[in-house]
Amino acid sequence: AQQLAESGGGSVQAGGSLRLSCAASDVAYRKYCMGWFRQVPGGKREGIAVIDTDGTTRYAESVEGRFTISKDSAQDTIYLQMNNLKPEDTAMYLCAIEFFTTPADFLVYGGKNAWGQGTQVTVSS
């Protein structure tokens, strides 16, 4: 079964940048969406960025223009470049993958096939 491994979280001051990575292994199918969710303790999980195997991307309004998702298809790896970070971006960031779905559906319902363990991002003011 596919597995996901995130890296790149950490602590940064407001206005700073971080880059997250998520590597998938044993991917069963070649058509998938892969992306990022975030969650704070007691809060709802929010889909923030997704990319599909054709390179189509979609973002939540809360991160549009500040975050960029990209991929290395050969390695089944995605990246999230986060710029101009704000304290409200503080959360656990989780990577997920889902086969045969659309970017829009993935952000709302996604991650049905596998999740990573998450990586913490903390932004101080």
Side-chain angles (χ1 to χ4, degrees), residues 8-14 16-18 20 85 90 119-124:
S11 298
V12 65
Q13 289 192 323
S17 298
L18 284 173
L20 306 183
L85 283 159
T90 295
T119 185
Q120 178 68 35
V121 171
T122 302
V123 185
S124 58

Side-chain angles (χ1 to χ4, degrees), residues 2-8 20-25 27 32-39 45-51 69-71 76-80 92-98 106-107 110-120:
Q2 46 278 332
Q3 295 183 326
L4 304 178
E6 302 104 332
S7 61
L20 306 183
S21 300
C22 176
S25 59
V27 176
Y32 58 78
C33 285
M34 199 165 161
W36 295 93
F37 292 73
R38 67 185 181 185
Q39 190 168 20
R45 186 171 290 176
E46 176 190 19
I48 59 169
V50 57
I51 188 166
I69 190 168
S70 60
K71 67 184 177 74
D76 290 322
T77 298
I78 63 169
Y79 307 94
L80 187 68
M92 179 68 74
Y93 283 69
L94 303 109
C95 176
I97 189 170
E98 185 172 343
F106 180 91
L107 286 186
K112 293 187 175 67
N113 293 112
W115 289 87
Q117 292 297 310
T119 185
Q120 178 68 35

Side-chain angles (χ1 to χ4, degrees), residues 46-57:
E46 176 190 19
I48 59 169
V50 57
I51 188 166
D52 70 10
T53 41
D54 294 327
T56 300
T57 60

